[in-house]
Amino acid sequence: MKKRQLVAPTSESNLKRIKKEDKGIKKKKEGRRVEKETNVDIIKSLNLLEDDHDGEGSDIDSPISNVAGSLQQNSDDNDSGLIEGSETEEDNEFSHSDQEDIRTNGGATSEDSVDLSSFDLHLQHNLSKEEIDNQKNLKFSWDVPVIGVSNCTWRGTGQNILKDFNINSCPGLKEKLYEHWMDVSKTSGGKDINSPKQKMFFSLCSSYRDILHCNKRPFYLKGLEDTSIMDAYIMHSLNHVFKTRDCVKKNDSKLARLDECADIERFRDQGFTRPKVLILLPFANVAYRVVKRLIQLTPLAYKVNVEHMDRFSAKFGGEEDKGDKENGEELENAYPQVSSKPYDHNLLLGGNNEDDFMIGIKFTRKTVKLFSDFHTSDFIIASPLCLLNKIEETECNKEKDVDFLSSIEVLIIDHADVMAMQNWSHVHTVIEHLNRLPSTLPRTDVMRIRRWYLDEQARFYRQTIILGFYSNPDINTSFNQQCSNYEGKATKEVLQHGKVGPDGLYTFPSVSLQSAKSSLSLPLPNNASVCTINISSSSCNNHSSFTSQYLRHLD
């Protein structure tokens, strides 16, 4: 089967077409702006006249109010006629209500502030060729112990962002999101909710580095799930989406006051399509838990109405989910019936174990829309298998596309260990198809698209967060070769419990071996000297001792 050749929108023919469309769009916008300003002036004048009739107490609508309402309706209709994927009237009202939140947790910001948030610094950075070439030579240069965990450490490349970590703040998080998060944490409880460990992980997320966290306790084991990690990446995703919407709205207001000949290069704030966050999950029952938590962590002002919630519960939930407790509470009562299957099998596969699912989520004015169109959604939550099927469909049907994957800025792969047991090649293929040039012309204002999208550098700005109970060579390969964020990488490592004795032997109390003597020769890279590991025969209190000569890399 021949693969379909994608047509790059930045080819010579398409560039000419884009320039013509851009001129037409600018003329239409200017005409709508002038017409809207005229209507607003007329409405103000009519309202002044209408104030003179307020004292009469008449319940009948006056002709003046009817004219004003008609003009207002016409101006709204003009705004709602924008191209698909761009700002709509509902989106504008949503962003306008959020402009009151001008301060982020951890510091005040303003329009003229010199200190930019990590969101602005990350997306506004101009990537140089030297930085791209240095991606292949990144080395882990720092490590910081994980707060509350004795045998774990965070290791990273580049600058040590956790050196001055403050456990009492969540840097860059919008104030409304932070306050609601703290309120939810107080009511829902949980072992690690609002803990220093959670805030440390959120700080890593807000730094926009690629993260590999393969020590996350899953929900299908007995005990409490590490939901603090899920809450942290959900809040980071919401913060990214809301800040993107605020940035677009603010620039819309500025552009409306500028002349036609003004330089609009600094107002590039969008991608080819609207979706910015992609969350990959293995099963529908896991997606059910994540979406419910996402809605719960959304501030009340933005979720006055949640559309299609019944449809979502019917498709993604199950009979067992109706009585489930949330946020890390024990799920032992979820399966009261006697089963011959292991406990973790029942929790992971006993509910809705559909592995071919996909849902779009869109935030508008006081509404969370589930099952929104993928091209105009803010979040896309899907399984790797479903996305793989859609990618293969585009190769057979030229009318279909996966352009909604072209502008993903935050990729989250949760329960990577389960996906590795399914088929990790599906995840690998999905990542390969992210941040490509769309096969059709952009559905947004071309002059608002960021330069690094047009230059095919979006993969260097995409943040990838991989979470799982353990890692394997496939997961490590994807993290090392497919995650190319210019900000760098951070990974969590688990250190073995042990200590070095006075005789130079390293004792592992958690390892128990029978008395044996052996010498293992390990294959080494070309630039390393010989290394041997000797297992001694002496055992004491079921503890085995190891002696080793560490790798000495040649300069």
Side-chain angles (χ1 to χ4, degrees), residues 142-305:
W142 56 267
D143 58 88
V144 175
V146 178
I147 299 178
V149 184
S150 59
N151 65 325
C152 291
T153 181
W154 282 109
R155 299 178 65 241
T157 63
Q159 183 182 3
N160 187 353
I161 56 176
L162 297 178
K163 182 178 180 180
D164 300 324
F165 170 67
N166 184 2
I167 63 174
N168 297 319
S169 67
C170 294
L173 183 61
K174 291 173 65 65
E175 186 177 18
K176 286 184 179 179
L177 288 175
Y178 179 79
E179 292 176 352
H180 181 72
W181 191 12
M182 295 302 100
D183 292 340
V184 173
S185 300
K186 293 177 182 178
T187 56
S188 59
K191 180 180 179 181
D192 295 320
I193 298 297
N194 197 22
S195 64
K197 183 179 72 172
Q198 182 188 51
K199 292 184 178 180
M200 175 178 279
F201 180 75
F202 178 84
S203 296
L204 283 173
C205 292
S206 63
S207 70
Y208 283 95
R209 300 191 179 205
D210 293 330
I211 300 174
L212 176 61
H213 182 349
C214 287
N215 190 33
K216 174 177 175 285
R217 185 177 181 86
F219 70 94
Y220 53 83
L221 293 183
K222 287 187 177 181
L224 300 178
E225 179 191 2
D226 192 3
T227 54
S228 64
I229 301 301
M230 180 176 69
D231 283 5
Y233 77 66
I234 288 178
M235 294 306 299
H236 171 61
S237 302
L238 287 171
N239 192 56
H240 184 83
V241 168
F242 289 169
K243 283 196 171 185
T244 301
R245 308 293 297 145
D246 289 346
C247 180
V248 172
K249 174 59 181 176
K250 184 182 295 184
N251 287 338
D252 284 344
S253 301
K254 292 180 181 178
L255 285 171
R257 299 190 299 267
L258 292 179
D259 298 331
E260 290 186 5
C261 58
D263 181 20
I264 61 174
E265 183 69 23
R266 60 192 177 95
F267 296 107
R268 294 184 179 273
D269 52 12
Q270 301 179 25
F272 295 114
T273 53
R274 177 166 173 163
K276 292 295 179 286
V277 179
L278 172 63
I279 303 178
L280 295 182
L281 300 170
F283 296 116
N285 57 2
V286 181
Y288 180 79
R289 293 164 54 83
V290 172
V291 174
K292 286 192 65 178
R293 190 61 177 170
L294 185 147
I295 295 175
Q296 187 179 8
L297 291 176
T298 301
L300 299 177
Y302 307 145
K303 59 175 181 180
V304 175
N305 181 30

Side-chain angles (χ1 to χ4, degrees), residues 1-4 391-397:
M1 181 182 296
K2 294 183 179 180
K3 292 188 177 180
R4 174 188 173 195
I391 292 171
E392 293 178 346
E393 287 177 4
T394 62
E395 298 177 355
C396 303
N397 189 347

Side-chain angles (χ1 to χ4, degrees), residues 5-20 272 437-442 446 453-456:
Q5 183 69 26
L6 298 180
V7 180
T10 53
S11 62
E12 183 177 356
S13 60
N14 280 338
L15 282 176
K16 293 181 180 179
R17 183 177 176 184
I18 288 173
K19 290 179 180 179
K20 291 181 180 179
F272 295 114
L437 292 176
S439 58
T440 59
L441 288 175
V446 178
Y453 275 112
L454 301 175
D455 295 337
E456 300 185 68

